[in-house]
Amino acid sequence: MIPYLPKQISYKAIYLYLGSLAAVTLFFIRFAMSMTYIIMGIVGVVGFFLLTAYCSKKWKEIPYKKFLLYLALSSLGLRIVWVIFSYFFYIAQTGIPFEFAAADSLGYWEDGAWLSTTKWSVVNGYLFGNVKALSDSGYILYLTYLYKLIGPNIFVTRVIKALWSTATVLLIYNLAKRNIGEEGGRLAAIMACFMPNLIFYCGLHLKETEMVFLMVAYLERADYLIRSRQYNVFTIVIPVLLALSLFTFRTVLGAAAVFSIATALVFTNTSVIGRWKRIMLIAWGVLAATMLTGGTIINESEGLWEERDTNQTNKRLSQTARGNQWAKYATGTVMAPMMFVLPFPTMVDVDEQYTQQMLSGGNYVRNFLGGFVLIAVFSAIFITKNWRNLSLIGSFVIAYLGIVSTSGFSNSERFLLPALPLLLIMAAYGVTLLNAKNYRFIKIWYWVVPVMAFAWAFFKLGSRGLF
């Protein structure tokens, strides 16, 4: 077992990124990214791999409490620095402390600021009176509560996001260590600590940071409930409430949450969960679902599922109408097999997609770690054959990414983000399983990752007829 990210692999990842970036930039020189985004990408990739390699080796044997302290301080410090930098960066670039072409984030901010000055009857009528979609109501309600307490302060709201994100990292450690062991748990948490994409959303006014926290909290509590030999009403009620909260942030996320625990209760080995506990939890879960899920949740979930093909078709037609002629080929059948490694990094300047360019480094990290995710999946199914005991994590990832792949947002980093914490756990597990035999696959993956980056740049430009 390798309990840390080897520095040789980290160096290789950095060299491949620099080589891919240079190749894309030189080959498509007319559409090269600005130096600002090139530097951001390099800092994200170099920072992630060097810090993960260093800290995973230095922290692998330190005492538990000291590890948590180092992890929390590092995570919070990085996120606070990004919140400060991004706040003034966006003001300098856009004139307001919001991202380029801000839409949803401005809407959330305006709704929260307005509702914080109104009576609760107005809040309830606006959020739950068919004015707003259920899948947005939770975040706006959260902002309303927050702004009633602290006032509509954009900067402080994002500092609080840094706290939520840090808590997410700590929860990832708890979830991972119960599933893949202490060494793998520490590595997964360190990866989450330095993951550029998780840091990035702390500087935005979007709902992703809080949503990911609720999702990881749900999975951590659900996993504890399944594995614990002692349980009470609180250990049962808390994951149920967290699952319900996910429906108010993104409906399909709540659906994936329900599917994952149902799958885990059915497939987890009896030695872990116990026969009578399995029967009791399944029966109680069915009763809770019947009593607590209202018609709004059922109707919205059913509508989204029934309209999935129409939504995907409309999305592709819209992209084609805007000049993206090859978008029609990005169907669910094409995208689904690649869901463990998406999204691809944007290394060219096209259609003013500045946010995607800012995230090019983080998306590359996801692509590179995808090789270890595939090792973990293959090993769990065919070698160690412990997939049953990993069914909570695995079924959630497959369910959520499967739904996204059939939508029009299969390469949208924002829609793929909720799966990232679990993919990091799987990647960490893949690293711990490295040996001479499966490392041959990683050597092949070294060639695949640059090809993906170059091919994506070719696709983005070629589909618009720019060369």
Side-chain angles (χ1 to χ4, degrees):
M1 174 179 284
I2 301 178
Y4 57 89
L5 182 65
K7 64 180 182 180
Q8 295 87 346
I9 293 178
S10 295
Y11 291 156
K12 192 73 173 183
I14 293 170
Y15 297 150
L16 288 174
Y17 176 74
L18 295 176
S20 301
L21 181 61
V24 170
T25 301
L26 292 175
F27 195 87
F28 304 109
I29 189 66
R30 290 171 48 210
F31 306 98
M33 295 190 297
S34 73
M35 188 56 64
T36 299
Y37 303 127
I38 290 176
I39 292 174
M40 283 185 176
I42 293 174
V43 170
V45 172
V46 173
F48 174 85
F49 283 108
L50 290 187
L51 288 172
T52 299
Y54 176 82
C55 293
S56 62
K57 191 170 185 177
K58 289 292 184 179
W59 297 355
K60 65 184 177 68
E61 295 179 352
I62 63 176
Y64 167 77
K65 291 184 178 179
K66 183 178 288 188
F67 170 74
L68 290 183
L69 178 63
Y70 288 175
L71 184 68
L73 291 178
S74 299
S75 177
L76 183 60
L78 283 172
R79 284 153 175 77
I80 293 294
V81 169
W82 174 252
V83 166
I84 296 172
F85 170 81
S86 62
Y87 185 86
F88 293 104
F89 173 79
Y90 285 130
I91 290 177
Q93 295 293 316
T94 69
I96 55 175
F98 289 86
E99 71 277 15
F100 304 95
D104 288 351
S105 56
L106 274 175
Y108 295 144
W109 152 252
E110 292 170 353
D111 282 347
W114 165 59
L115 290 174
S116 68
T117 64
T118 66
K119 297 180 180 180
W120 284 112
S121 59
V122 177
V123 175
N124 292 331
Y126 182 71
L127 294 180
F128 307 109
N130 296 324
V131 177
K132 277 289 180 181
L134 174 68
S135 56
D136 274 337
S137 60
Y139 183 57
I140 298 175
L141 182 62
Y142 160 76
L143 289 179
T144 301
Y145 270 107
L146 184 63
Y147 292 160
K148 282 182 177 291
L149 291 174
I150 67 171
N153 190 302
I154 296 174
F155 183 80
V156 174
T157 301
R158 294 177 185 175
V159 170
I160 296 174
K161 285 178 180 289
L163 294 171
W164 288 125
S165 187
T166 298
T168 301
V169 172
L170 298 177
L171 288 171
I172 289 172
Y173 166 68
N174 286 337
L175 176 62
K177 74 175 181 179
R178 286 199 296 266
N179 283 268
I180 62 175
E182 177 68 26
E183 293 84 1
R186 292 195 178 198
L187 178 56
I190 291 169
M191 285 181 174
C193 174
F194 299 121
M195 185 66 203
N197 299 56
L198 295 179
I199 297 172
F200 178 80
Y201 280 92
C202 294
L204 302 181
H205 231 68
L206 295 169
K207 61 183 177 182
E208 270 62 28
T209 296
E210 290 82 0
M211 182 172 66
V212 169
F213 166 77
L214 290 172
M215 183 212 71
V216 175
Y218 160 75
L219 290 171
E220 194 277 330
R221 287 294 84 194
D223 183 74
Y224 176 81
L225 174 63
I226 291 171
R227 297 174 185 274
S228 175
R229 294 297 180 183
Q230 296 180 346
Y231 52 93
N232 53 48
V233 66
F234 292 104
T235 58
I236 296 175
V237 170
I238 289 175
V240 170
L241 294 178
L242 287 169
L244 289 174
S245 72
L246 291 175
F247 282 98
T248 69
F249 276 74
R250 185 170 292 162
T251 310
V252 294
L253 203 58
V258 173
F259 174 79
S260 66
I261 194 168
T263 303
L265 289 174
V266 172
F267 289 104
T268 300
N269 286 331
T270 303
S271 60
V272 174
I273 190 173
R275 185 186 305 275
W276 291 108
K277 183 180 177 184
R278 186 200 309 272
I279 295 172
M280 185 275 293
L281 288 177
I282 291 176
W284 194 91
V286 171
L287 177 62
T290 303
M291 297 295 293
L292 295 177
T293 56
T296 302
I297 291 176
I298 294 173
N299 291 338
E300 186 164 329
S301 299
E302 184 179 3
L304 285 171
W305 177 253
E306 290 179 346
E307 296 173 4
R308 67 193 187 282
D309 293 332
T310 302
N311 291 337
Q312 184 181 50
T313 300
N314 290 340
K315 174 73 173 180
R316 298 309 176 206
L317 289 174
S318 174
Q319 291 175 322
T320 302
R322 295 197 305 267
N324 194 345
Q325 298 299 318
W326 295 350
K328 59 185 178 182
Y329 300 113
T331 63
T333 304
V334 173
M335 303 304 288
M338 300 184 286
M339 293 308 291
F340 285 132
V341 301
L342 292 175
F344 299 126
T346 295
M347 295 182 177
V348 289
D349 183 11
V350 59
D351 292 347
E352 298 183 345
Q353 296 176 345
Y354 301 125
T355 297
Q356 293 186 33
Q357 293 176 51
M358 292 174 69
L359 283 167
S360 65
N363 290 345
Y364 168 85
V365 172
R366 293 186 63 158
N367 296 161
F368 188 87
L369 294 180
F372 299 99
V373 172
L374 295 176
I375 287 177
V377 172
F378 181 84
S379 177
I381 296 175
F382 297 107
I383 300 177
T384 60
K385 298 182 180 180
N386 63 336
W387 64 269
R388 289 177 176 272
N389 294 336
L390 300 174
S391 57
L392 180 70
I393 291 176
S395 60
F396 185 94
V397 169
I398 292 171
Y400 182 74
L401 292 181
I403 294 171
V404 173
S405 70
T406 62
S407 72
F409 304 95
S410 50
N411 195 58
S412 170
E413 191 278 336
R414 182 181 168 190
F415 279 83
L416 294 170
L417 184 74
L420 179 56
L422 305 184
L423 292 175
L424 291 176
I425 293 175
M426 296 167 71
Y429 185 43
V431 171
T432 65
L433 295 173
L434 274 182
N435 53 42
K437 186 176 182 180
N438 58 33
Y439 185 64
R440 289 182 297 179
F441 171 75
I442 296 299
K443 288 182 177 180
I444 297 173
W445 195 251
Y446 290 157
W447 292 92
V448 174
V449 174
V451 170
M452 289 192 295
F454 189 89
W456 183 241
F458 180 86
F459 179 89
K460 291 184 77 71
L461 295 175
S463 65
R464 293 164 174 80
L466 296 177
F467 63 81

